[in-house]
Amino acid sequence: MEAPPPVILDFLLKLSRMYVLYCCFLSWYFLLSVNYAVRLEITPSHVIAGRNVTVNCEFEQSYDSSNDDIMWEFHKNTKRLIVWRSIPGTNMLRDQNEHFHGRTEVKFTSEKAVLTLRSINLSDSGEYRCIIFIRRGRNSEYLTSNFSYLSVAAPYSIPVVTGLNKTEEISLHCISYGGYPEGQLMWHYRNGSILTESVSTQHISNGMGAFVINSTLSLRIQQSDDICCSVSHTDLLQSWTTCQALTACHGNYPHCILFDMFISIVSGLAFLIILLFITIIIITIRMFQGSTQIKAKQLENST
């Protein structure tokens, strides 16, 4: 069997060398990707406004704070804000957005950097990521983590119910404010029976990210009962309820008749007292005038 021509052997040798170099390159790239892997985690990812969260930036290679640079970014809609970034080798911050001034603290370990974001508010809802700039001599790496979403919720205030109950026709208003996201409002009797007739409910933004829920109930009551307004927050699994006692005064209900009799008696007594008071004033004035005239005549006769 004849040996392959030298040209073919040379080609096969070059091809094998290229294959080895390609495998080495893939292995090198894979090792670098593993060593420089960056992962971001927010704890907790759902938080109530006013509390603190931690934004962990984890990496497998040791972080050198004297040379390397780390940064946390905040993304929401079209906004991109720098949450925290320091100048390598110092504790000085650079480029931090004023929205996060005084609310950040960072601690470093060999495997992660932990950012604590204090006093979370509704405008902090959005996506976060960390970016690491690895500097090793003349070489540098630009590494980014995944995006993690922070959801911020706010509780609603206890509902305030107002309205008049002069006749069987009533109109009640219920308002609750300060919550996020949109809550659910429901009118019902104390026994749980839901009222859906003539209900108008609005969710109005207060301009600071939270909502005001305003609802009106119009109802013709048939009997005395407690009508309640409840606001529920599905994310927080919380609800707030306020009830108002209503008295049905129509028809021949005994309590309504007694109430009307009481009002009539009180009104009659008040009228008699006022009339008596006016009569006493008139009599007093006339008596004073008569005594004045008698004294004047006596003075004339003495002179």
Side-chain angles (χ1 to χ4, degrees):
M1 182 177 181
E2 294 183 1
V7 176
I8 296 178
L9 290 175
D10 184 64
F11 174 76
L12 292 175
L13 181 62
K14 289 181 178 179
L15 185 63
S16 63
R17 287 176 179 175
M18 291 178 63
Y19 177 76
V20 171
L21 289 174
Y22 179 73
C23 291
C24 291
F25 173 78
L26 287 180
S27 300
W28 174 78
Y29 180 80
F30 176 77
L31 289 174
L32 281 181
S33 300
V34 172
N35 290 335
Y36 287 97
V38 181
R39 187 171 69 91
L40 183 125
E41 181 182 6
I42 300 177
T43 308
S45 59
H46 293 78
V47 65
I48 299 176
R51 299 185 180 180
N52 302 341
V53 298
T54 57
V55 188
N56 298 323
C57 188
E58 300 182 1
F59 34 85
E60 295 187 7
Q61 179 167 343
S62 297
Y63 175 78
D64 184 1
S65 59
S66 62
N67 293 310
D68 302 335
D69 191 1
I70 187 170
M71 174 176 67
W72 280 267
E73 287 185 336
F74 170 72
H75 291 251
K76 187 173 185 179
N77 300 328
T78 58
K79 294 192 301 183
R80 172 188 171 274
L81 307 178
I82 294 179
V83 181
W84 194 94
R85 183 179 183 180
S86 66
I87 300 174
T90 71
N91 293 324
M92 298 177 61
L93 291 176
R94 59 179 293 190
D95 305 328
Q96 184 184 49
N97 187 269
E98 61 181 6
H99 177 70
F100 301 100
H101 284 179
R103 298 199 294 131
T104 56
E105 180 182 358
V106 174
K107 294 182 180 179
F108 293 95
T109 67
S110 60
E111 297 180 350
K112 65 180 178 180
V114 180
L115 167 69
T116 300
L117 186 57
R118 297 187 294 269
S119 300
I120 292 294
N121 55 61
L122 294 177
S123 59
D124 292 327
S125 295
E127 291 185 312
Y128 292 79
R129 71 170 178 175
C130 62
I131 302 174
I132 300 178
F133 303 91
I134 303 293
R135 295 181 177 87
R136 298 293 184 266
R138 295 182 179 180
N139 298 323
S140 62
E141 293 285 342
Y142 175 83
L143 307 169
T144 63
S145 73
N146 56 299
F147 280 100
S148 289
Y149 192 84
L150 173 64
S151 176
V152 183
Y156 282 89
S157 65
I158 297 176
V160 176
V161 178
T162 58
L164 298 177
N165 178 213
K166 291 182 178 180
T167 64
E168 65 271 18
E169 295 287 344
I170 64 169
S171 180
L172 295 179
H173 303 279
C174 179
I175 186 169
S176 180
Y177 52 89
Y180 182 87
E182 291 187 9
Q184 297 179 349
L185 186 145
M186 179 178 63
W187 290 96
H188 59 92
Y189 289 110
R190 187 178 288 276
N191 62 9
S193 300
I194 299 175
L195 294 166
T196 58
E197 301 175 358
S198 302
V199 174
S200 175
T201 303
Q202 293 179 321
H203 293 78
I204 305 171
S205 175
N206 65 359
M208 296 181 289
F211 287 96
V212 176
I213 306 179
N214 190 8
S215 182
T216 301
L217 167 70
S218 297
L219 183 67
R220 183 183 180 89
I221 58 174
Q222 301 298 323
Q223 60 184 14
S224 299
D225 206 335
D226 291 344
I227 292 183
C228 305
C229 173
S230 294
V231 174
S232 59
H233 198 301
T234 55
D235 289 359
L236 300 180
L237 300 179
Q238 294 179 342
S239 62
W240 303 266
T241 301
T242 299
C243 298
Q244 179 166 316
L246 298 178
T247 302
C249 279
H250 62 90
N252 295 320
Y253 287 0
H255 66 278
C256 294
I257 297 174
L258 293 176
F259 179 77
D260 292 339
M261 291 176 61
F262 174 76
I263 293 297
S264 300
I265 293 173
V266 170
S267 300
L269 289 176
F271 176 75
L272 291 176
I273 291 173
I274 293 173
L275 183 61
L276 179 61
F277 180 73
I278 294 174
T279 303
I280 292 174
I281 292 176
I282 294 174
I283 293 174
T284 303
I285 293 174
R286 289 182 177 179
M287 291 177 62
F288 177 76
Q289 292 176 345
S291 62
T292 303
Q293 292 176 357
I294 291 173
K295 290 181 180 180
K297 290 182 179 180
Q298 293 176 351
L299 184 60
E300 289 178 359
N301 294 332
S302 62
T303 56

